[in-house]
Amino acid sequence: MSHSDIMAESGLRCFGAVSASISHELKNALAIINENAGLLEDLSRMAQNGRPLAPERLQVLAANVTRQVRRADALIKHMNQFAHSVDALVACCDLEDVLSLAAALNSRMAAMKGGTLLLEPFAAPVRITARPFWIQNLIWRCLNELLERPDAEKQLHLNARKTPGAAVITFSPVDNLLTTPHIPGVLNLLKAVQAVDFQNRELQIVLPEDIFATRDTNSD
Amino acid sequence: MRVLLVDDETELVETLAERLAFRGVEADWVGGAADALERVKTKAFDLAVLDVKMPKIGGIELKKRLQALYPAMKFIFLTGHGSEEDFTAGAAEAGSNFYLIKPVKIEALMKKMNEVMQHSGESR
């Protein structure tokens, strides 16, 4: 399969799913703002008819609106970062930033499947040279498959560490490591391989530090 | 009319319940399908307003479960989908034409609630 085919299949699916999830959450934030505005209207109308309106109540409603505006702002910021992840063909990616964005983008998807995502603190900075969107695509595919499993843990931990010449993204705890996510296309794009650590119940994605130094040139 | 509002966005249904109460509707709210299935054991409801996309058990599946327990209960769906067309397939699967797209106007919800209570056969 050519890179174009892989991007068409995997990349567009990822982009569509993440965009749909973000837009759904934005709708919810707007709906809550809308209800708080409506409640303010109701209360002010009742106040005009003689029912007392406590200032504390107004403060609570204002705080509700402010909280939802912040939520929507964060969603849009994440969506914008994700959209721009396709811009650079080659970029030095800080995996803590990449995983942090991935956790934010996929938190609703995880919640829909009854789970949560937790980004573990990094012991040291981990950087690789790759196309940022491909890494987001890889993480999305892994999360999608791992969280779909009936025996999936409620909380999935994400982390990354450096090894000589490579970086390792980890997902844990994962049971049934005899079966790993079936994602050959995107693994091939990143020249990555999957590994497992049964003792620590960890799925590992091993990525070369610079995929462009190891990529073959005729795969396009 | 006794209404149960179900949405994992609890701030939304809590506020909606208060606004419905101002309009003479007795509305309870819960934050998910599991809580809804518990609440109906202790209180009777004429109508449930369900969010379509909720963790673990979505609104369409919840409707099926509630309807199996309480055949007379009526349903309205709330959805965050961007267009009515997007929701048509899901609503058809659930056997209901009664749905509203978020953000919802309280007047539209009140109107839809009155409609659904009058069309007892359609929402089953």
Side-chain angles (χ1 to χ4, degrees):
Chain A
M1 188 183 272
S2 71
H3 284 163
S4 300
D5 290 340
I6 292 167
M7 290 312 293
E9 179 194 312
S10 185
L12 285 176
R13 271 180 54 209
C14 171
F15 215 95
V18 170
S19 302
S21 176
I22 297 280
S23 64
H24 195 95
E25 268 210 84
L26 277 172
K27 275 274 195 178
N28 279 330
L30 288 172
I32 294 170
I33 291 168
N34 183 60
E35 284 314 313
N36 278 283
L39 185 52
L40 277 170
E41 280 179 24
D42 290 349
L43 292 171
S44 64
R45 197 175 298 122
M46 288 189 287
Q48 284 173 339
N49 292 331
R51 176 174 158 156
L53 177 54
E56 295 79 19
R57 193 73 215 278
L58 295 177
Q59 286 166 4
V60 168
L61 295 179
N64 289 347
V65 171
T66 302
R67 191 167 54 250
Q68 293 303 323
V69 169
R70 284 202 192 111
R71 174 189 179 187
D73 185 55
L75 286 166
I76 291 168
K77 184 180 159 196
H78 294 144
M79 188 65 220
N80 188 265
Q81 288 175 342
F82 180 61
H84 283 296
S85 72
V86 300
D87 292 351
L89 288 173
V90 185
C92 179
C93 306
D94 183 322
L95 283 186
E96 190 159 16
D97 292 343
V98 171
L99 286 180
S100 174
L101 179 61
L105 291 171
N106 294 296
S107 61
R108 180 173 171 80
M109 182 258 281
M112 286 295 115
K113 297 174 193 288
T116 55
L117 303 176
L118 183 69
L119 182 63
E120 293 282 351
F122 278 37
V126 185
R127 294 188 182 89
I128 63 168
T129 300
R131 189 170 197 178
F133 178 68
W134 289 352
I135 308 174
Q136 287 298 343
N137 194 339
L138 172 78
I139 296 166
W140 176 78
R141 292 288 300 272
C142 288
L143 290 175
N144 219 3
E145 196 160 320
L146 294 175
L147 289 164
E148 197 64 47
R149 295 180 174 189
D151 58 354
E153 292 281 345
K154 296 277 182 223
Q155 191 170 64
L156 196 58
H157 295 240
L158 309 180
N159 202 342
R161 58 178 174 266
K162 196 170 161 24
T163 60
V168 182
I169 296 175
T170 63
F171 303 84
S172 66
V174 177
D175 288 321
N176 189 15
L177 283 166
L178 290 173
T179 309
T180 55
H182 183 68
I183 47 173
V186 71
L187 284 174
N188 183 47
L189 271 177
L190 286 162
K191 293 292 174 199
V193 293
Q194 294 184 95
V196 296
D197 178 342
F198 288 102
Q199 194 173 355
N200 293 314
R201 300 164 69 197
E202 196 174 80
L203 171 69
Q204 303 170 344
I205 306 292
V206 184
L207 301 124
E209 272 183 339
D210 184 350
I211 68 157
F212 295 94
T214 58
R215 257 183 66 189
D216 52 37
T217 53
N218 61 355
S219 52
D220 269 318
Chain B
M1 192 191 310
R2 291 156 303 179
V3 179
L4 179 62
L5 307 171
V6 190
D7 196 321
D8 57 309
E9 297 283 349
T10 53
E11 201 174 318
L12 174 65
V13 276
E14 184 180 8
T15 312
L16 206 48
E18 185 173 0
R19 298 190 70 203
L20 288 172
F22 291 154
R23 289 158 176 80
V25 176
E26 185 184 337
D28 284 21
W29 61 270
V30 291
D35 289 341
L37 291 164
E38 281 301 309
R39 184 64 60 90
V40 295
K41 289 179 186 170
T42 57
K43 188 170 178 179
F45 294 95
D46 304 301
L47 171 67
V49 179
L50 312 176
D51 181 33
V52 174
K53 285 207 167 187
M54 293 187 287
K56 297 181 187 173
I57 302 172
I60 291 172
E61 173 61 24
L62 178 59
K63 184 210 171 194
K64 289 176 185 166
R65 295 194 191 186
L66 288 172
Q67 204 162 42
L69 295 167
Y70 306 99
M73 191 182 280
K74 313 295 186 302
F75 299 92
I76 291 172
F77 289 112
L78 292 182
T79 175
H81 288 246
S83 69
E84 294 197 7
E85 290 78 14
D86 286 345
F87 188 65
T88 304
E93 186 187 332
S96 174
N97 291 319
F98 295 106
Y99 62 90
L100 290 165
I101 294 169
K102 297 176 185 175
V104 64
K105 287 183 181 168
I106 193 82
E107 295 78 15
L109 178 60
M110 289 291 294
K111 186 179 172 203
K112 198 67 86 175
M113 285 176 13
N114 289 326
E115 279 176 24
V116 78
M117 292 306 292
Q118 286 166 11
H119 293 78
S120 58
E122 263 183 61
S123 64
R124 294 185 183 176

